[in-house]
Amino acid sequence: MTRSLLAAALVLLPAIARGATPEPVVLLTESQRREIAVVVRAEAELVPLEPLIAGLGVQLRPNAANASLGLSFQGRDATLYHKKSLASVGGDLRLLSSPTLLENGSWLIPVDAVPRLLGPLLGVRSEWRAASRVLILGNVTAPRITVSTFVSGDAVRVVFEASEKVPFKVEQEAGRVTVSVARDIVDTAFTQQRLTGGIVDWVQWVGGRGNVFTVTPGRRFGEVQYQEQESPARLILDFKAPATAAAATPPPAATKPGAATPAVPSPTSPEAPSSRTIVIDPGHGGDEVGAIGAGGTMEKDVTLSIARKLRALVQNSLGYQVFLTRDKDDVVALDDRTAVANNYKADLFVSIHANASRAKGAHGSEVYFLSYQASDDDSRRVAQAEGAIAAPPADAPLGTDLSLILWDMAQAEHLEASSALASRIQEEIATVTGSEGRGIKQAPFRVLVGAAMPAVLVEVGFITNSEEEKQLLSDAWQSKVAAALLRGISRFEQGRGDR
Ligand SMILES: [Zn+2]
C-alpha cells in the first residue's frame, strides 16, 4: 500500500466508527409504540432495561455484592449479571450474544437478548426483528402481506394483498421497481420468486425498515402501471412488454435508459444436509465396573449394550456418523471420553449410565447436564459416584452463581443446548421408565466438563433396585430405552433451527 493510500485509510476509519451510531429501536407493545436509543459497547447493541419494563410492575432486586439484578414478575424470576453473557430466567440458563452491563446505575441488555429474557419473564410473546429494528413485547399484530404473480404472453401481473389497509408506496428505480409498506412491521411468508418469459425476472422480499419488496424487470419489459383496490386491500402492478412487441428485439427501456441494473442475489438453494456426528459414551468399563446390582449385574455391561443399540438406531434412522468412546470391556479415563468427542468434532455427546442407591426403593431414570452446583443432594451423590469435578474455588465470593464459574470451560457455551437436549431425552425416556415427574437435573460431572458440544448424562435406571435390575438386563427393555434416546435426540435435532 502506498503512503497516500494508507493516509486515506487512516482518515476514513474514524469516520466509519462515528457513522456507526445505530438507529433507535422501536418497541411495540399491545398498547404503545416507543423509540428507545441504543448504545454500542464492544460492537454489541444494548438497550436500557428501564424503558422496556416501565409501568409493568416488574420488581427489581439489585445485589451490589455480586453486581447482579434480580427481576420478579407474577411469580417468575430472572437474574442478570454485570459483564456476563449469561442470565437465568425461571431457573434456566440463557446464553446471550454479549454481556449485560451495569453502567451508572442503569442496566443495559443486548437488544437481541430481550426476547429471551423478558419474553419468558413477562410471559408474553417477544421478538426482535433486526432488519426492521423492532422489538415486540406482547400480542402485537402486524398486517399480513401475500404476493401472487400471473404471467401471460405479453404481461405480468404482480398482486400484493394485505390483511388490512396499509400505505403501499411504489417507486421506480434504475432497473427495478420497489414496493414499500410504511408500517413498523409486516408479516409475510413470501421470500422470492423467479419468473420466466422475460418481462419480469424476479419478485423479492428485501424487508428492512421500509418493509420493501422489489420487482426486477427482464429484457422484454416495456412499462409498468399500478392501481390500488380496497377490501381486500390490494396493490396491483402490471408489467407489459413494449407496445410494438417485436418479439425478437429486446429494448429493455426501464425508467432510466443506460442505468446499470443492480445485481440480483441468486436464489438461495437449500444446502445439502451436512453429515452430523454423535459420540455415545457407555459409562465405565474394564476393572472400573460401575454400580453392581444385588443379582450381580454390572453397570459397565448394561451401558455398553444400550450404547450399541443406540448406535444402530441413530445410524439407521438419522444417517449420522456414530462413534462409541469404547466398544469393548475397557477402562477409559473420563477426560479421554470427552476427548474422543472433541476429536471427532461431534455435534452431540451422550453418556449412558445406570444408577445406584442405598435406598432400596430408589427407581427410575434421570437426565443430567452440567452444573457446578448440583440440583439437590441426590444429584450431588450421583456426580460423586460417576466422577465429579473439583469443588468450586474457595475464594469464590459469597453469593456467586456457581454456574458462572463454568464459564471458562468448554461445555459453558453449550449449556443451554445441553439443557434442551436433556429435556427432550428426559421427556422420551420417562415414557419408558415412568419417571415423568423427575425433570432434568444438573450436577458437576467430570465427563461433561470438557465437551465442546451439547452433552448430557443419562442414568437409565437403578441397578440397585431389584425390579429395575431385571429390566436393565432385558434385551427388549434395553431396546425400548435406546429407542427413547433416539426420539429425544431426533426431537432435539429437529428443534435446532428454532434456536
Ligand atoms: Zn455410572
Side-chain angles (χ1 to χ4, degrees):
M1 186 184 283
T2 68
R3 183 168 291 265
S4 60
L5 272 178
L6 182 62
L10 287 174
V11 170
L12 276 175
L13 280 174
I16 292 167
R18 267 202 309 279
T21 307
E23 285 184 72
V25 163
V26 174
L27 173 70
L28 291 183
T29 68
E30 280 159 56
S31 58
Q32 57 177 321
R33 176 190 191 280
R34 219 181 299 166
E35 293 203 358
I36 302 177
V38 299
V39 298
V40 176
R41 300 285 182 270
E43 294 178 11
E45 286 189 35
L46 300 107
V47 284
L49 177 67
E50 287 87 345
L52 294 175
I53 58 171
L56 293 175
V58 176
Q59 288 178 340
L60 302 180
R61 294 180 315 278
N63 181 343
N66 67 352
S68 71
L69 177 71
L71 301 93
S72 305
F73 184 74
Q74 295 182 352
R76 292 181 290 268
D77 293 304
T79 310
L80 309 178
Y81 303 92
H82 177 48
K83 289 188 178 171
K84 296 289 183 193
S85 313
L86 196 60
S88 79
V89 184
D92 289 337
L93 285 175
R94 298 275 167 166
L95 292 169
L96 315 179
S97 56
S98 64
T100 48
L101 297 174
L102 173 57
E103 278 188 12
N104 306 319
S106 168
W107 281 85
L108 299 169
I109 304 179
V111 63
D112 58 357
V114 171
R116 332 189 63 214
L117 295 176
L118 293 188
L121 178 73
L122 301 173
V124 298
R125 183 174 91 89
S126 181
E127 199 183 328
W128 162 238
R129 296 197 179 185
S132 38
R133 300 193 61 74
V134 169
L135 257 180
I136 297 169
L137 267 182
N139 202 9
V140 176
T141 54
R144 181 149 195 88
I145 296 185
T146 54
V147 182
S148 335
T149 55
F150 306 89
V151 179
S152 66
D154 55 1
V156 170
R157 172 168 278 196
V158 184
V159 179
F160 297 85
E161 184 170 320
S163 57
E164 60 188 82
K165 187 167 166 45
V166 296
F168 283 116
K169 185 176 171 197
V170 184
E171 285 177 287
Q172 260 185 289
E173 300 172 0
R176 65 178 196 170
V177 174
T178 65
V179 173
S180 53
V181 184
R183 282 291 188 90
D184 286 318
I185 48 171
V186 302
D187 281 332
T188 184
F190 183 82
T191 52
Q192 60 182 4
Q193 190 180 1
R194 173 91 165 95
L195 301 181
T196 55
I199 297 174
V200 167
D201 285 347
W202 286 99
V203 184
Q204 292 172 301
W205 163 245
V206 179
R209 231 180 169 156
N211 302 305
V212 176
F213 296 86
T214 63
V215 183
T216 309
R219 60 184 168 78
R220 288 182 60 219
F221 170 67
E223 59 168 355
V224 58
Q225 293 172 341
Y226 61 91
Q227 53 173 309
E228 279 194 68
Q229 293 178 346
E230 285 179 30
S231 61
R234 280 185 181 147
L235 169 73
I236 300 169
L237 302 184
D238 285 314
F239 293 81
K240 294 179 179 160
T244 48
T249 49
T255 40
K256 292 175 191 166
T261 304
V264 176
S266 59
T268 45
S269 62
E271 285 178 17
S274 61
S275 170
R276 307 258 303 164
T277 302
I278 168 166
V279 166
I280 303 168
D281 174 44
H284 313 277
D287 294 343
E288 213 262 282
V289 300
I292 303 179
T297 309
M298 288 190 262
E299 182 184 358
K300 64 170 185 175
D301 298 324
V302 173
T303 60
L304 181 57
S305 181
I306 293 175
R308 285 171 173 161
K309 287 181 158 62
L310 178 59
R311 172 175 59 188
L313 289 176
V314 171
Q315 283 171 336
N316 292 335
S317 64
L318 298 179
Y320 289 5
Q321 289 196 88
V322 183
F323 299 99
L324 301 191
T325 54
R326 67 177 177 96
D327 201 4
K328 49 186 174 188
D329 188 14
D330 267 351
V331 174
V332 182
L334 291 176
D335 292 350
D336 291 348
R337 294 169 188 257
T338 330
V340 168
N342 291 344
N343 286 341
Y344 282 120
K345 295 193 166 35
D347 299 291
L348 298 179
F349 179 80
V350 177
S351 187
I352 299 175
H353 290 259
N355 231 328
S357 172
R358 280 195 211 111
K360 285 247 165 14
H363 67 97
S365 56
E366 292 169 342
V367 183
Y368 289 88
F369 69 104
L370 183 69
S371 155
Y372 230 125
Q373 233 167 1
S375 333
D376 49 47
D377 288 346
D378 283 337
S379 303
R380 190 172 306 112
R381 276 192 287 273
V382 171
Q384 291 300 340
E386 306 288 16
I389 48 181
D395 59 352
L398 267 184
T400 303
D401 184 334
L402 291 176
S403 57
L404 297 178
I405 298 174
L406 290 170
W407 193 238
D408 293 332
M409 304 181 185
Q411 177 59 198
E413 63 179 291
H414 303 284
L415 283 177
E416 190 178 338
S418 297
S419 100
L421 176 61
S423 293
R424 297 298 89 75
I425 289 180
Q426 160 64 18
E427 286 154 16
E428 294 300 333
I429 200 171
T431 65
V432 177
T433 61
S435 311
E436 280 88 352
R438 284 180 183 259
I440 53 173
K441 297 183 162 193
Q442 287 184 271
F445 292 100
R446 181 166 188 108
V447 73
L448 300 178
V449 169
M453 72 283 307
V456 298
L457 185 145
V458 185
E459 297 279 359
V460 296
F462 279 84
I463 210 163
T464 47
N465 175 308
S466 57
E467 196 96 329
E468 295 198 351
E469 182 182 6
K470 276 184 221 130
Q471 289 182 327
L472 288 164
L473 276 175
S474 134
D475 189 70
W477 191 88
Q478 289 179 358
S479 297
K480 273 192 200 168
V481 165
L485 292 171
L486 169 73
R487 289 197 302 275
I489 289 166
S490 71
R491 279 182 53 211
F492 170 81
E493 290 286 286
Q494 282 159 16
R496 264 192 310 132
D498 305 338
R499 287 189 288 275

